[in-house]
């Protein structure tokens, strides 16, 4: 227990920071689809009380009917997210739009419907009123309290992407320098002993994990950008179609315009989704930086420059290009399967072990991470795929794969952060995926809440694994 407390309070431990980062990310990140599903569920739950007040209402008197109608207007505003139901200008605009499709005189018919039909009609009215308000806004005749979400996203997405790109570049340069120093140390036993307390490899794991998380978030941001670009085109097309239909006409069949109003509302709600998602991802990126503090403490610039000396710092791309012409010599390994770009379908989609790092180098140097080069040849061994940074490394690993696989597993037992960094969960049967711990996942109201992290069982628990994480709270429209 004393050892656990000491480790948890250690402010100069890259390994512990990495584990905290992993737990935080897994508790606050999930796939785009799962996030949007959860976000919509939360919004629905917030509307339950308002919906129930309307659907359970038994209004008869004039004052009661007027009160019910006002509640429906409030519901429409809350559900659409287009302005506050306490702002008189917004309420008047929404009321006028609602009266054009659902006059108060129709409340009697509404009250005779079943609860399910009432709920359905409320949702449909919300979509139609929202579409009307969006169309009026585009025509310059309304739109009070409606933010220009396409314009906001048009600015927010490039700004967020630029920030992540900048952080990613800084992280990669730091990783390249650590890698160069560790390479230098591996060839000099005296220097290795001298720098043992610096925890260079642990620092490398920390910055590599940060890099991987940034790339995950960046990929989602790019998807957001693509979705928004497509939706802006659709929005423009729908508005133009609506203008053509209502142009110079005093009356238009509802069968022509209602579907377009609903489509406009649906598109706008998708813009709202993207806005929340971008905000969550931006906050997540900012909070990940909190787990990088040990680098400045252990490796200020003067220390790094002194350790580098005359060492050449190489990027991952440069390392791959160094051996781009190398290929595995197939006659030496007739009993093993080697895959190459020109002979393998979906070559670039293969799931590579150790996140694409060279297993041989990692095992033979006790933990150095170097990028594997798929063009050298991908080894298929027991239905898993391995890449290597040189042909010699590929040959050495292929001579005895089990030996190196076991060495990597043993290394991960000493550095628990490697289990997630190198995606080694399947090799540790005593780990329970976080998503399988019934009732243990805490969802922030609109935040991302994931379930990919693995929690050690009592037998496998280590002092590094006992960490907590805060839940990211995301903004909401309701």
């Amino acid at each position: 227990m004393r050892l656990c407390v000491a480790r948890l309070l250690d402010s100069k431990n890259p390994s512990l920071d990495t584990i905290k980062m992993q737990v935080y990310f897994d508790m606050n990140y999930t796939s785009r689809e799962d996030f949007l599903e959860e976000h919509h569920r939360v919004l629905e739950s917030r509307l339950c009380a308002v919906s129930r007040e309307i659907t359970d209402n038994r209004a008869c008197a004039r004052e009661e009917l007027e009160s019910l109608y006002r509640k429906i207007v409030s519901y429409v505003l809350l559900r659409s997210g287009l302005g506050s139901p306490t702002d008189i200008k917004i309420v008047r605009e929404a009321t006028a739009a609602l009266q054009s499709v659902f006059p108060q005189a129709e409340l009697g018919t509404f009250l005779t419907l079943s609860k399910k039909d009432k709920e359905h009609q409320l949702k449909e009215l919300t979509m139609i009123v929202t579409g009307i308000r969006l169309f009026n806004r585009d025509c310059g005749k309304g739109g009070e309290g409606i933010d220009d979400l396409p314009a906001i996203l048009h600015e927010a997405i490039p700004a967020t992407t630029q920030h992540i790109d900048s952080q990613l570049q800084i992280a990669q340069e730091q990783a390249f320098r650590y890698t160069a120093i560790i390479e230098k140390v591996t060839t000099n036993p005296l220097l290795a002993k001298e720098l043992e307390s610096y925890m260079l490899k642990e620092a490398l794991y920390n910055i590599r994990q940060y890099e991987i998380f940034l790339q995950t978030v960046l990929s989602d941001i790019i998807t957001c950008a693509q979705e928004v670009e497509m939706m802006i085109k659709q929005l423009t097309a729908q508005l133009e179609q609506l203008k053509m239909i209502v142009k110079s006409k005093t009356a238009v069949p509802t069968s022509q315009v209602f579907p377009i109003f609903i489509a406009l509302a649906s598109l706008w709600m998708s813009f709202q989704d993207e806005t929340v998602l971008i905000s969550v991802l931006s906050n997540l990126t900012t909070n990940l930086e909190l787990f990088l503090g040990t680098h400045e403490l252990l490796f200020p610039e003067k220390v790094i420059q002194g350790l580098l000396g005359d060492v050449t710092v190489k990027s991952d791309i440069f390392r791959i290009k160094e051996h781009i012409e190398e290929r595995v010599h197939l006659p030496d390994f007739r009993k093993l399967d080697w895959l190459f770009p020109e002979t393998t379908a979906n070559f670039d989609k293969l799931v590579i072990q150790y996140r694409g790092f060279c297993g041989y180098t990692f095992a033979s140097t006790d933990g150095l991470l170097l990028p594997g080069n798929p063009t050298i040849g991908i080894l298929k061994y027991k239905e898993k795929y391995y890449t290597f940074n040189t042909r010699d490394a590929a040959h050495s690993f292929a001579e005895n794969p089990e030996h190196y696989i076991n060495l990597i597993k043993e290394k991960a037992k000493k550095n628990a952060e490697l289990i997630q960094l190198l995606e080694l969960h399947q090799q540790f049967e005593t780990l329970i995926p976080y998503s399988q711990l019934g009732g243990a996942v805490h969802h922030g109201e609109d935040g991302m809440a994931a379930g990919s992290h693995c929690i050690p069982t009592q037998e496998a628990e280590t002092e590094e694994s006992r960490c907590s994480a805060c839940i990211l709270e995301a903004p909401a429209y309701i």
Side-chain angles (χ1 to χ4, degrees), residues 141-303:
K141 298 178 181 179
E144 188 74 32
I146 300 177
D147 294 326
D148 190 349
L149 295 186
I152 291 171
L153 287 165
H154 190 68
E155 292 183 7
I157 290 176
T160 306
T161 303
Q162 185 177 359
H163 173 69
I164 296 176
D165 275 333
S166 175
Q167 292 300 108
L168 194 54
Q169 184 176 347
I170 293 170
Q172 288 172 336
E173 288 175 356
Q174 204 165 5
F176 300 156
R177 297 206 292 179
Y178 287 156
T179 302
I181 294 169
I182 295 170
E183 276 188 305
K184 175 183 176 181
V185 169
T186 56
T187 60
N188 188 332
L190 293 177
L191 188 59
K193 188 68 177 177
E194 181 183 339
L195 297 178
E196 187 175 349
S197 62
Y198 276 83
M199 295 183 282
L200 275 165
K201 290 174 184 174
E202 287 79 359
L204 176 61
Y205 304 153
N206 180 266
I207 204 68
R208 282 295 193 183
Q209 183 66 81
Y210 177 63
E211 175 194 3
I212 288 165
F213 287 155
L214 285 184
Q215 288 171 335
T216 300
V217 173
L218 184 59
S219 176
D220 283 350
I221 297 289
I222 291 170
T223 300
C224 286
Q226 293 168 342
E227 289 291 321
V228 169
E229 183 180 357
M230 179 182 65
M231 289 190 303
I232 288 175
K233 291 178 181 177
Q234 292 175 343
L235 181 68
T236 302
Q238 294 285 2
L239 287 169
E240 287 301 318
Q241 183 182 357
L242 200 51
K243 287 176 184 177
M244 291 298 295
I245 293 174
V246 303
K247 187 177 181 181
S248 304
K249 294 180 181 178
T250 56
V252 181
T254 57
S255 60
Q256 291 184 28
V257 293
F258 277 14
I260 303 179
F261 286 144
I262 291 171
L264 281 176
S266 181
L267 273 172
W268 202 261
M269 289 175 181
S270 294
F271 280 119
Q272 292 172 334
D273 287 345
E274 298 302 327
T275 304
V276 174
L277 187 54
I278 288 291
S279 178
V280 170
L281 292 172
S282 180
N283 289 339
L284 181 61
T285 303
T286 300
N287 290 328
L288 284 175
E289 296 175 36
L290 301 175
F291 303 100
L292 303 175
T294 52
H295 296 283
E296 291 183 5
L297 288 171
L298 295 175
F299 308 106
E301 188 61 27
K302 286 185 179 179
V303 171

Side-chain angles (χ1 to χ4, degrees), residues 37 80 118 128 262 266 276 294 299 329 415 437 456 466:
E37 182 181 339
S80 68
K118 287 177 185 175
I128 295 170
I262 291 171
S266 181
V276 174
T294 52
F299 308 106
H329 192 228
N415 292 80
L437 293 178
R466 300 184 183 96

Side-chain angles (χ1 to χ4, degrees), residues 55-207:
T55 57
D56 292 348
N57 201 292
R58 295 291 181 266
C60 294
R62 178 180 174 182
E63 293 80 7
E64 292 174 335
L65 290 170
E66 288 177 350
S67 174
L68 175 60
Y69 199 78
R70 288 194 295 271
K71 287 179 181 178
I72 293 175
V73 173
S74 295
Y75 174 90
V76 167
L77 286 172
L78 287 170
R79 187 173 190 87
S80 68
L82 302 186
S84 169
T86 61
D87 187 311
I88 188 63
K89 291 182 180 179
I90 295 171
V91 170
R92 283 175 179 168
E93 183 182 310
T95 302
L98 180 62
Q99 285 175 340
S100 69
V101 296
F102 182 73
Q104 190 171 326
E106 292 188 18
L107 275 178
T109 304
F110 175 81
L111 289 170
T112 64
L113 299 175
S114 67
K115 185 180 181 68
K116 187 175 181 180
D117 287 340
K118 287 177 185 175
E119 291 173 348
H120 176 76
Q121 186 164 352
L122 284 174
K123 291 177 183 179
E124 190 173 70
L125 286 172
T126 298
M127 301 296 278
I128 295 170
V129 170
T130 299
I132 292 172
R133 293 187 65 208
L134 289 170
F135 179 63
N136 289 341
R137 172 184 174 275
D138 187 67
C139 296
K141 298 178 181 179
E144 188 74 32
I146 300 177
D147 294 326
D148 190 349
L149 295 186
I152 291 171
L153 287 165
H154 190 68
E155 292 183 7
I157 290 176
T160 306
T161 303
Q162 185 177 359
H163 173 69
I164 296 176
D165 275 333
S166 175
Q167 292 300 108
L168 194 54
Q169 184 176 347
I170 293 170
Q172 288 172 336
E173 288 175 356
Q174 204 165 5
F176 300 156
R177 297 206 292 179
Y178 287 156
T179 302
I181 294 169
I182 295 170
E183 276 188 305
K184 175 183 176 181
V185 169
T186 56
T187 60
N188 188 332
L190 293 177
L191 188 59
K193 188 68 177 177
E194 181 183 339
L195 297 178
E196 187 175 349
S197 62
Y198 276 83
M199 295 183 282
L200 275 165
K201 290 174 184 174
E202 287 79 359
L204 176 61
Y205 304 153
N206 180 266
I207 204 68

